[in-house]
Amino acid sequence: MVNFLKKNIALLWAKKHVRKAEFKTNAEQNQEKLLFSLVNTAKKTLFGREYDFENIRSVKDFQEKVPISDYEDLKPYIERVKRGQANILWTDVPEYFAKTSGTTSGSKYIPISKEGMPFQVKGAQSALFHYIAKKNNADFVNGKMIFLQGSPELEEVFGIKTGRLSGIVAHHIPKYLQKNRLPSWETNIIEDWETKVDKIVEETEKENMTLISGIPPWLIMYFEKLVEKHGKKIKLIFPNLQLIVTGGVNYEPYRDKMEELLGGNVDIIQTFPASEGFFAFQDDYTKEGLLLLTDHGIFYEFVPLEEYGKPDARRLTLSEIELNKDYALILTTNSGLWAYSIGDVVRFIDKNPHRILVSGRTKHFTSAFGEHVIAFEVEEAMKATVEKYPAQITEFHLAPQVNPEDGLPYHEWFIEFEKEPENLQLFRNELDNQLRKRNTYYDDLISGNILQKLQITGLKKNAFQEYAKSQGKLGGQNKIPRLANDRKIADLLKINKL
C-alpha cells in the first residue's frame, strides 16, 4: 500500500510540474528579463561597479561593457571571494565552492550562491519529473537508487564549504529519496575510485536497484565488475532496473557497450549539469535533444564556433541562434559568473522549445592542419561506421601525427575495442569517409594530398582506465578528451597499444 501511494504521488507531482513549465513557450523574452535582474542585483558589487552595471539598459549595453571571460580572467575576483570577502562577484559570499580540475589554472573554485544551489537540485528533479510524466510510470521510486559520484565530504575555504559538485549535491537530495539511496556514506567518501567501485558492487549487488546515475565511462566500469562477478547481464542481476540517468559526456558513443552490458531494455535520460549550473536535460527519453533550462538563473549567449576567440566575435542571444550550427556556450549566472565561457560547444536542433545537443569542447579539437575537427563530428562518424561495420568500442582518442616516419601526415585514432570489426581495413576506410562527409576542411586535406587517410592504433583492454589512473583522474566526473591538438595523451596511450 505504501509503495502504491508513493509512486502515484510521484506521478501526480510529475504531471503538475510539467504542466507548470511555462519557460518552454516564452524563453526568449524571459532570458532578457533575467539578465536585467542579475545585473540589477549585482550593480553595487566590485565587479558591477568596475563594469558600470548602473548604466546597462539593454543586452547590447551588457555585451559592450562586459567582455567574455574565462576562469583566468575571473580568478583575481575569486581569490578575494576565497578569502571570505562579500560583494565581489555577487552580493554575498558563495554558499559553496565547486572544486574542479583545470589544465592551466590548477584547481578551479567555481562559486555557487545560495540562489544558485537550488537550481542544481531542481534541474535533476525536473529531469525525473518529465520522465515520469512521459512514461506515465513511477515504479522506480520504490526501489533502490545509486549515484556514482565524488566524495560528499567537504572541506572549508575561509568558511565556505568546498568539494566536487556531485559531492555537494549529495547533501541536497530530498528526504523522500534518502532511504532509497545507495551507496552508504562510508563507501561514498572513499577516494580511491577502484576501491570505491568494488565496495559499491558489494553494497548493491543484492539490492532491488531501479535507478542508476553517473557518467558513462564509470557506469560501464561498475557494470563490468558486476557482470564479471556474477557471470550474467545487468538486467538479470537487477531485473527491476528501469532508468539510467547520465551526463557529463555525449552518451551515443557508449550506447552499444551499455546495451551489451545491460542485456535488456532500460530507459536512458541524458542531462547537462556542470559546476557552473544545470543547463539542460532530455525531456523526452524517446527523442534526441536536451531541453535548455532558460528559467534557472542563467542568461545564455552563443558565439558561433568559427568566430570564437576573435575580437569581433558575435554574441548571439536565444532569439538569434540558428539550427544545426555550433556555438560556444557563454553564461551569466546568479552565482556571479559574468559572460563566462564554460568551454562547451552546443548545437540547437529545435527552437520550439529550445533543444540542444552538446557537440564538443572549445579546447578539445584537432586542427593541426587547419581542419578544426570537433567532438560531434568524430562521434557521429564513429557511430555511422559502427552501424555499417559492427564493432564494440570502449573508448577512443584522436590526435594528429604531424611528422610520421613514412608518408604524409595523418590523424591517428587510438581505439580500445571491446569487439573488433571483422575487417579493420574496411572499418578504417569507412571511418575516414564518414569524417570527410562531416568536415569539408578535412576532406580538402585528403583530396589535396596534404594528409593521408586516418590510421587506427588498437589498444589493450583497460588502456583508458590505466591512462586515467596514471593522471590521477580515475573516477568521479573526470573525462578523457576525445580529441587533442597535440600528442600528450596519444604518447601515453601508445604504451598500451596491441
Side-chain angles (χ1 to χ4, degrees), residues 38 92 202 230 252 266 293 295 357 359 384 388 404 431 452 472:
L38 296 172
D92 204 348
E202 287 180 25
H230 290 270
E252 288 307 318
V266 179
L293 295 170
D295 65 342
L357 299 174
S359 54
K388 188 167 183 179
L431 186 57
Q452 62 172 299

Side-chain angles (χ1 to χ4, degrees), residues 31 68-70 272-274 276-280 292-293 298-305 308 314-316 318 321 325-333 338-348 356-362:
Q31 274 280 284
I68 292 174
S69 61
D70 59 16
F272 184 15
E276 294 84 356
F278 199 111
F279 310 128
L292 188 67
L293 295 170
I298 301 170
F299 174 74
Y300 299 99
E301 295 175 83
F302 308 91
V303 175
L305 187 57
Y308 182 74
R314 291 174 295 156
R315 293 163 62 175
L316 307 180
L318 206 56
I321 57 91
K325 284 195 67 174
D326 293 305
Y327 296 100
L329 184 60
I330 311 298
L331 313 171
T332 290
T333 78
W338 301 98
Y340 184 82
S341 175
I342 189 176
D344 284 299
V345 178
V346 299
R347 175 180 297 188
F348 284 86
I356 60 171
L357 299 174
V358 183
S359 54
R361 296 277 296 167
T362 56

Side-chain angles (χ1 to χ4, degrees), residues 59-164:
V59 173
K60 186 178 179 183
D61 287 346
F62 176 77
Q63 292 174 338
E64 287 176 351
K65 292 178 184 293
V66 182
I68 292 174
S69 61
D70 59 16
Y71 189 81
E72 283 299 307
D73 297 319
L74 292 186
K75 191 173 182 180
Y77 300 96
I78 291 174
E79 288 301 315
R80 294 181 69 161
V81 177
K82 281 171 64 178
R83 294 195 292 271
Q85 295 181 30
N87 232 34
I88 303 298
L89 289 167
W90 196 243
T91 53
D92 204 348
V93 294
E95 186 173 9
Y96 297 100
F97 275 126
K99 189 176 180 182
T100 69
S101 6
T103 50
T104 56
S105 310
S107 292
K108 297 181 180 180
Y109 292 81
I110 306 299
I112 305 177
S113 68
K114 65 179 185 295
E115 295 89 351
M117 189 61 222
F119 287 120
Q120 288 279 6
V121 180
K122 286 179 181 177
Q125 286 178 326
S126 193
L128 291 178
F129 281 149
H130 275 76
Y131 168 77
I132 291 170
K134 179 69 181 176
K135 182 82 172 178
N136 198 33
N137 184 312
D139 287 350
F140 72 86
V141 301
N142 290 319
K144 294 290 186 180
M145 307 175 193
I146 185 173
F147 304 89
L148 294 173
Q149 60 191 193
S151 171
E153 272 196 321
L154 305 178
E155 58 181 347
E156 289 203 356
V157 175
F158 286 92
I160 301 170
K161 293 177 180 177
T162 301
R164 301 290 179 187

Side-chain angles (χ1 to χ4, degrees), residues 148 193 197 214-224 254 258 464-465 468-469 473-480:
L148 294 173
W193 189 249
V197 174
I215 71 171
W218 312 125
L219 288 171
I220 286 171
M221 183 177 178
Y222 166 60
F223 288 158
E224 283 181 331
Y254 300 94
M258 288 284 283
F464 282 91
Q465 284 187 25
K469 191 192 300 186
K473 292 182 180 292
L474 184 64
Q477 297 301 110
N478 293 307
K479 304 171 283 268
I480 297 172

Side-chain angles (χ1 to χ4, degrees), residues 425-442:
Q425 188 59 41
L426 290 176
F427 185 92
R428 171 206 172 206
N429 291 340
E430 182 66 20
L431 186 57
D432 198 75
N433 288 333
Q434 290 293 340
L435 187 56
R436 290 176 71 174
K437 286 181 184 178
R438 288 163 174 78
N439 188 295
T440 56
Y441 302 109
Y442 178 70

Side-chain angles (χ1 to χ4, degrees), residues 176-434:
Y176 64 87
L177 292 180
Q178 289 287 5
K179 289 182 181 178
N180 299 56
R181 179 173 163 245
L182 292 168
S184 64
W185 175 272
E186 293 74 20
T187 295
N188 236 348
I189 63 175
I190 295 172
E191 287 295 339
D192 180 76
W193 189 249
E194 288 182 294
T195 304
K196 182 173 182 171
V197 174
D198 286 339
K199 191 66 178 172
I200 290 172
V201 168
E202 287 180 25
E203 288 190 4
T204 58
E205 60 187 339
K206 295 181 181 177
E207 297 288 349
N208 177 31
M209 303 303 302
T210 54
L211 182 152
I212 298 175
S213 176
I215 71 171
W218 312 125
L219 288 171
I220 286 171
M221 183 177 178
Y222 166 60
F223 288 158
E224 283 181 331
K225 285 180 178 287
L226 281 163
V227 169
E228 184 179 352
K229 185 171 183 179
H230 290 270
K232 53 187 177 181
K233 304 292 186 182
I234 296 301
K235 276 293 283 182
L236 291 174
I237 301 171
F238 302 137
N240 296 320
L241 179 60
Q242 179 181 338
L243 180 61
I244 290 174
V245 182
T246 185
V249 295
N250 182 8
Y251 179 74
E252 288 307 318
Y254 300 94
R255 186 179 293 277
D256 288 345
K257 176 64 175 174
M258 288 284 283
E259 288 178 354
E260 189 266 329
L261 287 166
L262 290 168
N265 185 55
V266 179
D267 293 330
I268 309 290
I269 54 175
Q270 299 176 56
T271 63
F272 184 15
S275 301
E276 294 84 356
F278 199 111
F279 310 128
F281 62 80
Q282 193 174 5
D283 61 318
D284 183 343
Y285 70 97
T286 66
K287 294 181 181 177
E288 187 178 52
L290 309 181
L291 179 69
L292 188 67
L293 295 170
T294 55
D295 65 342
H296 274 50
I298 301 170
F299 174 74
Y300 299 99
E301 295 175 83
F302 308 91
V303 175
L305 187 57
E306 66 273 14
E307 300 177 25
Y308 182 74
K310 297 178 180 178
D312 57 347
R314 291 174 295 156
R315 293 163 62 175
L316 307 180
T317 61
L318 206 56
S319 62
E320 298 170 300
I321 57 91
E322 298 177 39
L323 297 182
N324 302 311
K325 284 195 67 174
D326 293 305
Y327 296 100
L329 184 60
I330 311 298
L331 313 171
T332 290
T333 78
N334 60 358
S335 291
L337 299 176
W338 301 98
Y340 184 82
S341 175
I342 189 176
D344 284 299
V345 178
V346 299
R347 175 180 297 188
F348 284 86
I349 61 169
D350 199 353
K351 291 185 182 182
N352 186 31
H354 293 85
R355 289 195 180 89
I356 60 171
L357 299 174
V358 183
S359 54
R361 296 277 296 167
T362 56
K363 293 181 179 177
H364 294 168
F365 58 87
T366 300
S367 195
F369 313 98
E371 66 276 37
H372 208 92
V373 173
I374 63 171
F376 187 79
E377 292 165 340
V378 300
E379 288 168 353
E380 288 295 296
M382 179 65 82
K383 180 181 176 183
T385 303
V386 168
E387 284 174 1
K388 188 167 183 179
Y389 298 103
Q392 286 183 5
I393 312 295
T394 301
E395 189 54 277
F396 65 87
H397 174 79
L398 168 58
Q401 176 53 271
V402 179
N403 297 304
E405 291 182 8
D406 297 303
L408 296 171
Y410 55 86
H411 284 181
E412 186 170 10
W413 291 60
F414 294 85
I415 304 177
E416 183 183 329
F417 288 102
E418 177 73 18
K419 182 182 178 183
E420 285 196 17
E422 287 186 8
N423 189 315
L424 189 59
Q425 188 59 41
L426 290 176
F427 185 92
R428 171 206 172 206
N429 291 340
E430 182 66 20
L431 186 57
D432 198 75
N433 288 333
Q434 290 293 340

